[in-house]
Each structure stands twice: as C-alpha cells, then as structure tokens.
Amino acid sequence: MFRRLWSAEAGFFLGLWLVLPVVGRTSMYRDPGTFWHVVVGQRMVDSGEVICSDPFSFTRAAEPWTAHQWLAECGMGLLHRLGGWDALLLAAVTLLAAIYTFLASRMLRAGLHPLWAGSLLAVVLLASAPQFHVRPLLITIGLVACSFALLVDVDAGRRRLRRLWWFVPLMALWANLHGGALAGLGMFAVCSAWWIVLWLFGGNSPLTRRRDVLALLLIVAVSGAAVLLNPYGVELPRSWWTTLRMPLPVLIQEHAPLDLRDPLAWATVVLTLLYLATLLCVPPRRLRITWLLPLVWLVLAVARVRNVPLFAVTTAIVLAELIPQIRWADWLVQREVLLTPEVLAGRRCDARSAVIPLAVMLLVTVLLFAGVASPLVGPQWARFDPALWPVDLLPELEALDRTSPEGTPIFNDLNYGGFLIYHTPRLRVFADDRCALYGTEMLKDYEFARYASPSRINHWTMQYDFKHALVRTGTLFDRFLQNESRWLLVRRTPTATLYRREE
C-alpha cells in the first residue's frame, strides 16, 4: 500500500514544496515588479476592464500603457485578496515544485537512478534560483518546459504530429499571461523549419509526406495568429517588441549579462559543461534539432540572466534524452546510474502517489486561509527584506500618503517604484521597472543621473514640482540631497532615506 501511495516523483514534489517556502520567504520577494503586478491585477478585477493608460506615475501619467501580463496579474490580485503575500508565496512555490518535479519525472522515466536524477535536478535548481520571484515569469518557465517537452517527444516519434495543435490554445493563453510566449513560438518555428529541411533532403524528420508539411505550416501560422487573441490586439506583441529592442542589460539588473562573480552563476557553467560533454558523447547520426536548442538558450542566458531558467529547464529535458543515447550507456547501467527497462517497469509512478502530497498541500492551505500559523507557511510568513526595501520608513510613507491629495508626486529610486505603488496608492511615482512605458531615453537619463549627475534632480524638481524624495541610502542621490539646503531630512534608515523639499 505504501509503494502505491509513494513514488520518487512524490518525494521530489513534496521536498521542493516544503523547502522552497523556507528559503524563499524573503528571497522570492526581491523583484520590484511584484508589487505593481498585484495592484494592477486588483484594479482590473475591481473595474472589470484592462488598464490601457498609466495610473501610477507622474512622468507618464495617462499615457498609453499595455499591461501585457494582465491575466497573470489578475490572478495575483485575486490571490493577494484571499491570503495576502503568503498566498502568493504558496502559489509560486507550488508552481515551481510542479515544474521541477516534471523535469525529475522525465529523468526518471529515461532511466536515471533517483539519486543521480536528484543531483542533476539540484544543479538545474541552483542555476534557476536567482530568477525565482513571485511574478509571471514563473509561468513562462513552466510553459517553456511543457512546450519544449512536447517538441522533443514529437521529434523522437513518441507523439504524433497532430499533438502540435495544442500549441494553438497554449499560445492564446500564454500571450495573455506573459511575454515569454515569444519563447514558445520561437522554439516551435525553429523546430518546424528544421523538420521541413530534413524532410526535403531525406533526413530523419517526423514529417513523412507533403500533407504533414502543409499541416505543420498551418499549425505554426494559426499558433502565431493565436497571440492576437487578447484585449489589446496587436498592441500586445508590439509591447514585447518594444521591450526587446531596449538596451535593458545596462539598465535593469535581471537583464544583465551572466556574472561569474555570483556563486550561483557557476551552476550554469556546470550545467553547460555537463550538457556539452553529454552531447559530444552521442553519435552525430542520432542528433536531433531539439537536442541542440539549449545552445540557443545558452547564448541568450549569457546575454541576459533572466533567460538562465529557460536554458536550465530545456537542458534538463535534453539531458534526459541524451544520457541513455551516449556511447557508454551500458557502462552506466552496470554502475546503476541508468536503470534497466525491467527495473523501470517496477518503478512506474502510480496516480495514487499524488495522495500524500495533495493531502499535505490541502492541510497547509486550509491552515493558511484559516489564519492558523503553521511551521512553513502561515500568517505573515512571507517577509520583505528590510535590507532591500524601505519597510522601516513605512510609518512616514503611509502618513504622507494619508495627508496628501490624490496624485501627489514623489521622486523615488527606480527600484522603489513598485513598493510605493503598493504601499502609497495616493502618491504618484517618478519611475518604476515598467521599462517599455518610460522608454530608453528617460531610463538612460535616469541612469546617468544616478551614477554621474545627481544634480538632475533640480531639473526634474522644476519640471514636475515634487516635494518629497525617497532614495537609497548612501547613493549619489542621497549625498546630493543631503547637501542641498532646500531638502530637509525626514528620516534616514540603513536602507533608504526620505527627504522633504522646503517651500
């Protein structure tokens, strides 16, 4: 009975689901976009309409803005209403546990011993972990894993070509959740083009006749058109294109190149070396296009760390395919790194093995929404790091919000924009991390002021007439305001400082 109610997959899921809330209670709330995602979702749920103009800043007030993650934001807003930041943390952890258990399951079904599958999964998790934040990107990580796995299965002949029709509803849903829909569409287009080339030259392709080629081209075309099924129409993909064209690697930390000074970045290096070494051990005649796609994601990950989780999940799927194909597979079987088909047949995952994880999840969820403290997730479990966010200044900020007219401007460090949008709804921020809204020129102007010419604040003060400023302690902005006689110190904390301009 226990073997029927337990499996390696259940162990992976439950382990991740119990550990991630502990290590992520503060680290998963380090992205400034999390705050405004919640507020945007709540506004749309309350009004019943999508937001089409900027409601938060004074520098871009009422200008056109596409909330291109609107559906995910509505979900975040509803979860926050139900259980606050703890409910959002629980949802994010559940999604991550499901994604990486899916990867572990493919490794196990490929024949990897659970110990080795767990070791490989640990490297994949370490590489991905810096991007584990409560935000819609997590959905893209999961959908990239699922869509790429489908492409791999079709490429290997385990799934029929008609299964690719699932891309049509997938792209329609994905486009409304996150701009990462471009990743799914791009992978599908690359694989389709290569399959057609192989078919034309008599290679090993899942396409066997002209009818298959026409069907595949139709699926790709309809999937591409499906992204237009959204409240914004063509403005939604246009906002993706605008964001991609911006020089974000020099403006936003999560878009910066891979930095090997970060210890976790070396997990990406280890995963890369493991992937390349395994790839070289497979006879060239067996190689498939899907096995090479992680190379594309590797280039994108080196350019922008935001793409590292996408490289990691696609690499994990490909390694599950490659390891049984390498020249030394028999040697690995002898060392029980790979399991024989007979052993695998006795270790198949039974649907009943989900009973224990589901029971634990249900118990913790009930305790959470009932307001009962539990060891992992309970009331006020999720926390904001006071070394990152100006939480110590909340009394002053909330008092300013209560006593200020609607729409009062406040100058702020860009990373504090989302924090202010959530905690001080009556104030209007100078800027936040909605990069497509502010545009390249303004963001470059802000970066130049922050690192070289903080006196730009005087120009912005005359232009916008703001009377308060929230800046990070110790920055050039802080030192400039401290030496300006017109700016009075309200309160200084180790993290942030609030100033008021004298009339």
Side-chain angles (χ1 to χ4, degrees):
M1 178 61 69
F2 178 77
R3 291 184 62 183
R4 292 174 182 173
L5 295 177
W6 189 253
S7 66
E9 287 87 347
F12 279 118
F13 179 86
L14 199 55
L16 290 170
W17 197 80
L18 294 174
V19 169
L20 285 173
V22 177
V23 298
R25 66 184 304 191
T26 56
S27 63
M28 290 182 69
Y29 284 107
R30 297 181 65 85
D31 185 77
T34 300
F35 298 101
W36 61 259
H37 283 313
V38 169
V39 178
V40 168
Q42 290 178 343
R43 288 200 177 199
M44 290 190 290
V45 169
D46 291 339
S47 66
E49 298 177 350
V50 294
I51 292 177
C52 295
S53 60
D54 175 38
F56 303 126
S57 78
F58 61 86
T59 52
R60 293 292 186 268
E63 289 194 12
W65 175 58
T66 301
H68 58 83
Q69 302 166 69
W70 73 274
L71 189 56
E73 288 165 344
C74 287
M76 291 178 68
L78 287 171
L79 280 171
H80 186 272
R81 286 263 172 90
L82 290 172
W85 296 110
D86 298 311
L88 282 165
L89 178 63
L90 187 64
V93 163
T94 302
L95 178 59
L96 287 171
I99 294 169
Y100 290 91
T101 299
F102 170 71
L103 300 180
S105 177
R106 290 188 70 93
M107 297 176 199
L108 294 170
R109 284 187 282 126
L112 265 71
H113 188 281
L115 178 61
W116 292 103
S119 301
L120 177 56
L121 187 67
V123 177
V124 173
L125 279 165
L126 286 174
S128 307
Q131 300 303 315
F132 287 172
H133 303 293
V134 179
R135 57 181 177 176
L137 177 63
L138 299 185
I139 299 174
T140 279
I141 297 174
L143 293 180
V144 162
C146 293
S147 59
F148 183 64
L150 176 58
L151 292 171
V152 168
D153 289 343
V154 171
D155 199 18
R158 291 191 295 268
R159 294 286 186 270
R160 294 184 179 181
L161 197 65
R162 65 188 182 196
R163 290 291 186 94
L164 294 175
W165 279 106
W166 279 106
F167 266 91
V168 176
L170 177 65
M171 295 310 303
L173 175 64
W174 197 346
N176 290 279
L177 291 168
H178 189 258
L182 279 176
L185 194 59
M187 291 190 301
F188 188 22
V190 168
C191 289
S192 299
W194 188 249
W195 290 340
I196 293 173
V197 170
L198 288 177
W199 174 77
L200 288 172
F201 291 94
N204 185 16
S205 170
L207 310 177
T208 58
R209 49 188 176 174
R210 187 187 301 270
R211 183 178 175 181
D212 291 340
V213 175
L214 295 176
L216 182 60
L217 290 173
L218 179 61
I219 298 171
V220 173
V222 177
S223 298
V227 303
L228 300 177
L229 298 176
N230 67 81
Y232 299 100
V234 295
E235 290 302 319
L236 188 72
R238 186 175 296 167
S239 69
W240 301 342
W241 178 244
T242 299
T243 303
L244 287 174
R245 291 173 58 192
M246 297 180 69
L248 295 182
V250 299
L251 299 173
I252 304 296
Q253 184 177 0
E254 70 177 52
H255 291 275
L258 187 68
D259 186 357
L260 295 183
R261 290 173 297 181
D262 180 359
L264 289 181
W266 284 94
T268 303
V269 175
V270 171
L271 190 60
T272 300
L273 294 176
L274 181 60
Y275 165 65
L276 294 176
T278 308
L279 192 65
L280 292 174
C281 292
V282 176
R285 66 181 182 276
R286 294 185 183 179
L287 290 177
R288 299 182 178 275
I289 179 59
T290 49
W291 297 355
L292 301 177
L293 277 181
L295 292 174
V296 178
W297 283 117
L298 175 60
V299 174
L300 296 174
V302 171
R304 299 189 183 195
V305 292
R306 182 186 178 94
N307 294 316
V308 169
L310 308 184
F311 163 69
V313 297
T314 54
T315 300
I317 292 171
V318 169
L319 284 174
E321 299 288 316
L322 288 176
I323 292 175
Q325 303 287 335
I326 64 176
R327 296 181 176 90
W328 302 300
D330 292 339
W331 183 85
L332 294 177
V333 170
Q334 293 174 4
R335 275 47 181 190
E336 295 186 348
V337 175
L338 283 174
L339 303 180
T340 62
E342 293 76 19
V343 175
L344 285 175
R347 293 191 176 188
R348 287 179 180 175
C349 182
D350 194 309
R352 286 171 289 188
S353 65
V355 170
I356 295 177
L358 286 174
V360 175
M361 288 173 57
L362 179 62
L363 175 62
V364 174
T365 304
V366 169
L367 291 174
L368 170 63
F369 289 107
V372 179
S374 62
L376 293 176
V377 177
Q380 307 302 314
W381 175 262
R383 294 181 181 177
F384 302 122
D385 187 354
L388 181 66
W389 304 113
V391 291
D392 293 333
L393 284 174
L394 274 177
E396 288 78 13
L397 291 171
E398 291 172 347
L400 175 63
D401 185 63
R402 288 192 302 270
T403 58
S404 299
E406 183 75 30
T408 298
I410 179 173
F411 178 81
N412 61 280
D413 187 294
L414 185 144
N415 287 332
Y416 294 157
F419 186 89
L420 289 172
I421 288 170
Y422 176 81
H423 288 284
T424 57
R426 297 174 63 85
L427 304 183
R428 290 269 189 162
V429 300
F430 174 80
D432 55 82
D433 62 324
R434 293 173 296 155
C435 300
L437 171 67
Y438 296 100
T440 300
E441 291 306 315
M442 178 177 172
L443 292 177
K444 283 186 174 179
D445 189 25
Y446 171 81
E447 286 296 293
F448 177 72
R450 180 165 63 167
Y451 291 115
S453 180
S455 61
R456 287 286 293 163
I457 290 182
N458 287 337
H459 169 75
W460 292 325
T461 301
M462 292 183 355
Q463 183 178 1
Y464 298 111
D465 192 30
F466 48 79
K467 295 179 174 59
H468 289 83
L470 176 68
V471 296
R472 189 159 188 84
T473 300
T475 60
L476 287 182
F477 281 150
D478 179 31
R479 292 198 288 271
F480 174 78
L481 294 173
Q482 187 177 8
N483 293 323
E484 282 287 295
S485 59
R486 292 181 303 166
W487 287 93
L488 304 178
L489 177 67
V490 177
R491 187 184 171 198
R492 179 185 302 278
T493 71
T495 301
T497 304
L498 181 63
Y499 289 94
R500 183 182 75 250
R501 182 165 62 91
E502 192 175 39
E503 297 292 343

